[in-house]
Amino acid sequence: MPQGEKFLARLELSLFWLKRLCVLVGSLALVVLVATFGWLVFGRYVLNETPTWVEQLALVLICYITFLGAAVGIHEQTHLGVTLVRDALPPKLRQLLLLMTDLCLAVFGGVMLVASLELFQFGWSTLLPMLNIPESIRTASAVACGGLMVIFAGARFILRGRSALRGEIYENEKVI
């Protein structure tokens, strides 16, 4: 196997494991979210003492679940899109449109990364009520999502562009 092929195979494998890590972290956050709401119900109705920190923790966890899920959606190409026109195009034009979509998603992720980093820096000195942790912990999920979007869409742009240069069509992690 040529050196370039080995690199691309390792890249795809690395992206796969990065996606799996995002799914794992998002899943763990969902389990913690359900457990904390169970504690909220138990505290409110059994102990007659409502834990006030649950709402703030839930907001943090929902941010991580949502943003990591969005990044995984970029990797798996399950983000919302109207594909009627794209699917009706000939394969070469479809390939060009998919390349442009990957590029736009990577650029959007880059803009999101930069804007989220500004929010992250701005919120570091502010504490979340009830949790007493920096507000930037919540914003870190958006930073991660922007970075992951750049990685996932940018890598797919490179892989798809390489296939296009070779006269092949790259769709859904396979070369046709």
mmCIF file of all heavy atoms in Angstrom, residues 19 22-23 65-81 102 105 145 148-149 152-153 156 172-173:
data_model
loop_
_atom_site.group_PDB
_atom_site.id
_atom_site.type_symbol
_atom_site.label_atom_id
_atom_site.label_comp_id
_atom_site.label_asym_id
_atom_site.label_seq_id
_atom_site.Cartn_x
_atom_site.Cartn_y
_atom_site.Cartn_z
ATOM 1 N N LYS A 19 -15.178 10.251 16.302
ATOM 2 C CA LYS A 19 -16.646 10.256 16.310
ATOM 3 C C LYS A 19 -17.175 9.380 17.433
ATOM 4 O O LYS A 19 -18.090 9.756 18.160
ATOM 5 C CB LYS A 19 -17.183 9.766 14.970
ATOM 6 C CG LYS A 19 -18.708 9.664 14.956
ATOM 7 C CD LYS A 19 -19.230 8.744 13.904
ATOM 8 C CE LYS A 19 -18.877 7.324 14.230
ATOM 9 N NZ LYS A 19 -19.714 6.312 13.649
ATOM 10 N N CYS A 22 -16.937 11.138 20.706
ATOM 11 C CA CYS A 22 -18.006 12.142 20.834
ATOM 12 C C CYS A 22 -19.317 11.483 21.242
ATOM 13 O O CYS A 22 -20.045 11.988 22.103
ATOM 14 C CB CYS A 22 -18.197 12.895 19.528
ATOM 15 S SG CYS A 22 -16.854 13.979 19.084
ATOM 16 N N VAL A 23 -19.629 10.355 20.620
ATOM 17 C CA VAL A 23 -20.860 9.631 20.955
ATOM 18 C C VAL A 23 -20.797 9.136 22.398
ATOM 19 O O VAL A 23 -21.785 9.234 23.139
ATOM 20 C CB VAL A 23 -21.095 8.467 19.967
ATOM 21 C CG1 VAL A 23 -22.210 7.559 20.439
ATOM 22 C CG2 VAL A 23 -21.399 8.999 18.581
ATOM 23 N N ILE A 65 -24.435 17.500 24.966
ATOM 24 C CA ILE A 65 -25.162 16.501 24.173
ATOM 25 C C ILE A 65 -25.482 17.062 22.794
ATOM 26 O O ILE A 65 -25.261 16.403 21.768
ATOM 27 C CB ILE A 65 -26.455 16.070 24.907
ATOM 28 C CG1 ILE A 65 -26.107 15.310 26.194
ATOM 29 C CG2 ILE A 65 -27.340 15.228 24.003
ATOM 30 C CD1 ILE A 65 -27.281 15.157 27.150
ATOM 31 N N THR A 66 -25.967 18.279 22.751
ATOM 32 C CA THR A 66 -26.367 18.895 21.487
ATOM 33 C C THR A 66 -25.182 19.164 20.572
ATOM 34 O O THR A 66 -25.190 18.787 19.393
ATOM 35 C CB THR A 66 -27.111 20.219 21.760
ATOM 36 O OG1 THR A 66 -28.233 19.941 22.598
ATOM 37 C CG2 THR A 66 -27.563 20.870 20.475
ATOM 38 N N PHE A 67 -24.157 19.820 21.095
ATOM 39 C CA PHE A 67 -23.025 20.194 20.245
ATOM 40 C C PHE A 67 -22.210 18.985 19.794
ATOM 41 O O PHE A 67 -21.767 18.922 18.643
ATOM 42 C CB PHE A 67 -22.137 21.225 20.938
ATOM 43 C CG PHE A 67 -22.711 22.615 20.909
ATOM 44 C CD1 PHE A 67 -22.997 23.293 22.077
ATOM 45 C CD2 PHE A 67 -22.956 23.249 19.705
ATOM 46 C CE1 PHE A 67 -23.520 24.575 22.055
ATOM 47 C CE2 PHE A 67 -23.475 24.530 19.663
ATOM 48 C CZ PHE A 67 -23.761 25.201 20.838
ATOM 49 N N LEU A 68 -22.006 18.009 20.671
ATOM 50 C CA LEU A 68 -21.285 16.815 20.245
ATOM 51 C C LEU A 68 -22.127 16.012 19.252
ATOM 52 O O LEU A 68 -21.597 15.448 18.291
ATOM 53 C CB LEU A 68 -20.897 15.955 21.447
ATOM 54 C CG LEU A 68 -19.830 16.552 22.354
ATOM 55 C CD1 LEU A 68 -19.602 15.663 23.566
ATOM 56 C CD2 LEU A 68 -18.528 16.780 21.596
ATOM 57 N N GLY A 69 -23.429 15.976 19.466
ATOM 58 C CA GLY A 69 -24.315 15.315 18.510
ATOM 59 C C GLY A 69 -24.299 15.990 17.150
ATOM 60 O O GLY A 69 -24.335 15.319 16.111
ATOM 61 N N ALA A 70 -24.224 17.310 17.139
ATOM 62 C CA ALA A 70 -24.146 18.036 15.862
ATOM 63 C C ALA A 70 -22.847 17.711 15.133
ATOM 64 O O ALA A 70 -22.840 17.527 13.910
ATOM 65 C CB ALA A 70 -24.250 19.538 16.111
ATOM 66 N N ALA A 71 -21.758 17.620 15.865
ATOM 67 C CA ALA A 71 -20.477 17.284 15.245
ATOM 68 C C ALA A 71 -20.511 15.866 14.668
ATOM 69 O O ALA A 71 -20.016 15.627 13.560
ATOM 70 C CB ALA A 71 -19.341 17.416 16.260
ATOM 71 N N VAL A 72 -21.104 14.939 15.394
ATOM 72 C CA VAL A 72 -21.242 13.568 14.887
ATOM 73 C C VAL A 72 -22.124 13.563 13.633
ATOM 74 O O VAL A 72 -21.845 12.844 12.675
ATOM 75 C CB VAL A 72 -21.804 12.627 15.974
ATOM 76 C CG1 VAL A 72 -22.208 11.280 15.400
ATOM 77 C CG2 VAL A 72 -20.786 12.448 17.090
ATOM 78 N N GLY A 73 -23.154 14.383 13.630
ATOM 79 C CA GLY A 73 -24.014 14.498 12.446
ATOM 80 C C GLY A 73 -23.252 14.992 11.232
ATOM 81 O O GLY A 73 -23.517 14.565 10.101
ATOM 82 N N ILE A 74 -22.292 15.871 11.440
ATOM 83 C CA ILE A 74 -21.445 16.336 10.339
ATOM 84 C C ILE A 74 -20.596 15.169 9.828
ATOM 85 O O ILE A 74 -20.474 14.951 8.621
ATOM 86 C CB ILE A 74 -20.547 17.510 10.784
ATOM 87 C CG1 ILE A 74 -21.377 18.733 11.132
ATOM 88 C CG2 ILE A 74 -19.495 17.844 9.732
ATOM 89 C CD1 ILE A 74 -22.163 19.329 10.001
ATOM 90 N N HIS A 75 -20.037 14.400 10.739
ATOM 91 C CA HIS A 75 -19.203 13.267 10.324
ATOM 92 C C HIS A 75 -20.019 12.230 9.554
ATOM 93 O O HIS A 75 -19.572 11.715 8.537
ATOM 94 C CB HIS A 75 -18.550 12.607 11.533
ATOM 95 C CG HIS A 75 -17.693 11.439 11.168
ATOM 96 N ND1 HIS A 75 -18.189 10.160 11.134
ATOM 97 C CD2 HIS A 75 -16.397 11.352 10.800
ATOM 98 C CE1 HIS A 75 -17.220 9.335 10.760
ATOM 99 N NE2 HIS A 75 -16.126 10.043 10.553
ATOM 100 N N GLU A 76 -21.209 11.933 10.053
ATOM 101 C CA GLU A 76 -22.024 10.880 9.437
ATOM 102 C C GLU A 76 -22.911 11.401 8.309
ATOM 103 O O GLU A 76 -23.673 10.636 7.731
ATOM 104 C CB GLU A 76 -22.866 10.198 10.506
ATOM 105 C CG GLU A 76 -22.024 9.439 11.501
ATOM 106 C CD GLU A 76 -22.847 8.692 12.523
ATOM 107 O OE1 GLU A 76 -24.072 8.910 12.609
ATOM 108 O OE2 GLU A 76 -22.251 7.880 13.238
ATOM 109 N N GLN A 77 -22.829 12.682 8.033
ATOM 110 C CA GLN A 77 -23.606 13.326 6.981
ATOM 111 C C GLN A 77 -25.115 13.132 7.191
ATOM 112 O O GLN A 77 -25.862 12.871 6.262
ATOM 113 C CB GLN A 77 -23.201 12.813 5.608
ATOM 114 C CG GLN A 77 -21.745 13.079 5.290
ATOM 115 C CD GLN A 77 -21.366 12.610 3.914
ATOM 116 O OE1 GLN A 77 -21.983 13.038 2.944
ATOM 117 N NE2 GLN A 77 -20.371 11.748 3.820
ATOM 118 N N THR A 78 -25.532 13.269 8.435
ATOM 119 C CA THR A 78 -26.947 13.148 8.761
ATOM 120 C C THR A 78 -27.557 14.502 9.118
ATOM 121 O O THR A 78 -28.676 14.551 9.612
ATOM 122 C CB THR A 78 -27.160 12.174 9.932
ATOM 123 O OG1 THR A 78 -26.396 12.611 11.055
ATOM 124 C CG2 THR A 78 -26.764 10.762 9.558
ATOM 125 N N HIS A 79 -26.820 15.588 8.863
ATOM 126 C CA HIS A 79 -27.353 16.905 9.146
ATOM 127 C C HIS A 79 -28.499 17.198 8.172
ATOM 128 O O HIS A 79 -28.586 16.607 7.098
ATOM 129 C CB HIS A 79 -26.267 17.980 9.068
ATOM 130 C CG HIS A 79 -25.456 17.919 7.817
ATOM 131 N ND1 HIS A 79 -24.434 17.016 7.647
ATOM 132 C CD2 HIS A 79 -25.529 18.624 6.672
ATOM 133 C CE1 HIS A 79 -23.914 17.173 6.446
ATOM 134 N NE2 HIS A 79 -24.560 18.141 5.843
ATOM 135 N N LEU A 80 -29.346 18.102 8.571
ATOM 136 C CA LEU A 80 -30.519 18.437 7.788
ATOM 137 C C LEU A 80 -30.121 18.999 6.433
ATOM 138 O O LEU A 80 -29.237 19.840 6.327
ATOM 139 C CB LEU A 80 -31.362 19.482 8.547
ATOM 140 C CG LEU A 80 -32.663 19.913 7.907
ATOM 141 C CD1 LEU A 80 -33.597 18.725 7.761
ATOM 142 C CD2 LEU A 80 -33.315 20.990 8.736
ATOM 143 N N GLY A 81 -30.755 18.516 5.410
ATOM 144 C CA GLY A 81 -30.464 19.013 4.070
ATOM 145 C C GLY A 81 -31.554 18.604 3.094
ATOM 146 O O GLY A 81 -32.224 17.593 3.271
ATOM 147 N N ASP A 102 -19.025 20.333 1.833
ATOM 148 C CA ASP A 102 -17.987 20.053 2.835
ATOM 149 C C ASP A 102 -17.178 21.303 3.152
ATOM 150 O O ASP A 102 -16.878 21.577 4.311
ATOM 151 C CB ASP A 102 -17.056 18.942 2.344
ATOM 152 C CG ASP A 102 -17.749 17.599 2.246
ATOM 153 O OD1 ASP A 102 -18.754 17.394 2.939
ATOM 154 O OD2 ASP A 102 -17.270 16.756 1.463
ATOM 155 N N LEU A 105 -19.292 23.688 5.263
ATOM 156 C CA LEU A 105 -19.410 23.208 6.638
ATOM 157 C C LEU A 105 -18.112 23.423 7.419
ATOM 158 O O LEU A 105 -18.148 23.791 8.595
ATOM 159 C CB LEU A 105 -19.790 21.726 6.648
ATOM 160 C CG LEU A 105 -21.229 21.408 6.278
ATOM 161 C CD1 LEU A 105 -21.424 19.904 6.121
ATOM 162 C CD2 LEU A 105 -22.195 21.962 7.310
ATOM 163 N N CYS A 145 -17.416 21.699 19.322
ATOM 164 C CA CYS A 145 -18.230 21.445 18.124
ATOM 165 C C CYS A 145 -17.644 22.145 16.908
ATOM 166 O O CYS A 145 -17.529 21.546 15.832
ATOM 167 C CB CYS A 145 -19.664 21.890 18.357
ATOM 168 S SG CYS A 145 -20.759 21.595 16.946
ATOM 169 N N LEU A 148 -14.491 20.297 15.901
ATOM 170 C CA LEU A 148 -14.823 18.995 15.313
ATOM 171 C C LEU A 148 -15.446 19.144 13.924
ATOM 172 O O LEU A 148 -15.196 18.324 13.033
ATOM 173 C CB LEU A 148 -15.765 18.222 16.237
ATOM 174 C CG LEU A 148 -15.120 17.707 17.524
ATOM 175 C CD1 LEU A 148 -16.186 17.250 18.518
ATOM 176 C CD2 LEU A 148 -14.151 16.577 17.222
ATOM 177 N N MET A 149 -16.233 20.190 13.732
ATOM 178 C CA MET A 149 -16.798 20.436 12.401
ATOM 179 C C MET A 149 -15.687 20.710 11.388
ATOM 180 O O MET A 149 -15.731 20.217 10.264
ATOM 181 C CB MET A 149 -17.786 21.607 12.437
ATOM 182 C CG MET A 149 -19.112 21.271 13.072
ATOM 183 S SD MET A 149 -20.204 22.701 13.204
ATOM 184 C CE MET A 149 -20.601 22.992 11.505
ATOM 185 N N PHE A 152 -13.958 17.208 10.862
ATOM 186 C CA PHE A 152 -14.761 16.223 10.124
ATOM 187 C C PHE A 152 -15.049 16.669 8.690
ATOM 188 O O PHE A 152 -14.825 15.927 7.737
ATOM 189 C CB PHE A 152 -16.080 15.937 10.850
ATOM 190 C CG PHE A 152 -15.925 15.146 12.127
ATOM 191 C CD1 PHE A 152 -16.769 15.371 13.195
ATOM 192 C CD2 PHE A 152 -14.955 14.177 12.266
ATOM 193 C CE1 PHE A 152 -16.654 14.643 14.373
ATOM 194 C CE2 PHE A 152 -14.819 13.439 13.442
ATOM 195 C CZ PHE A 152 -15.675 13.680 14.492
ATOM 196 N N ALA A 153 -15.548 17.896 8.526
ATOM 197 C CA ALA A 153 -15.885 18.369 7.180
ATOM 198 C C ALA A 153 -14.628 18.641 6.367
ATOM 199 O O ALA A 153 -14.587 18.364 5.163
ATOM 200 C CB ALA A 153 -16.757 19.626 7.261
ATOM 201 N N ARG A 156 -13.228 15.303 5.208
ATOM 202 C CA ARG A 156 -14.051 14.748 4.133
ATOM 203 C C ARG A 156 -13.844 15.537 2.840
ATOM 204 O O ARG A 156 -13.829 14.966 1.752
ATOM 205 C CB ARG A 156 -15.524 14.724 4.527
ATOM 206 C CG ARG A 156 -16.326 13.878 3.562
ATOM 207 C CD ARG A 156 -17.758 13.637 3.967
ATOM 208 N NE ARG A 156 -18.454 14.836 4.339
ATOM 209 C CZ ARG A 156 -18.932 15.071 5.563
ATOM 210 N NH1 ARG A 156 -18.778 14.189 6.511
ATOM 211 N NH2 ARG A 156 -19.562 16.190 5.818
ATOM 212 N N ASN A 172 -20.135 8.860 1.417
ATOM 213 C CA ASN A 172 -20.359 8.105 2.638
ATOM 214 C C ASN A 172 -19.215 7.147 2.970
ATOM 215 O O ASN A 172 -19.405 5.955 3.159
ATOM 216 C CB ASN A 172 -21.681 7.340 2.573
ATOM 217 C CG ASN A 172 -22.858 8.265 2.369
ATOM 218 O OD1 ASN A 172 -22.852 9.382 2.854
ATOM 219 N ND2 ASN A 172 -23.836 7.808 1.642
ATOM 220 N N GLU A 173 -18.012 7.662 3.025
ATOM 221 C CA GLU A 173 -16.815 6.922 3.407
ATOM 222 C C GLU A 173 -16.495 5.745 2.502
ATOM 223 O O GLU A 173 -15.885 4.770 2.896
ATOM 224 C CB GLU A 173 -16.900 6.415 4.863
ATOM 225 C CG GLU A 173 -16.692 7.494 5.887
ATOM 226 C CD GLU A 173 -17.880 8.411 6.060
ATOM 227 O OE1 GLU A 173 -19.006 7.899 6.123
ATOM 228 O OE2 GLU A 173 -17.691 9.637 6.115
#
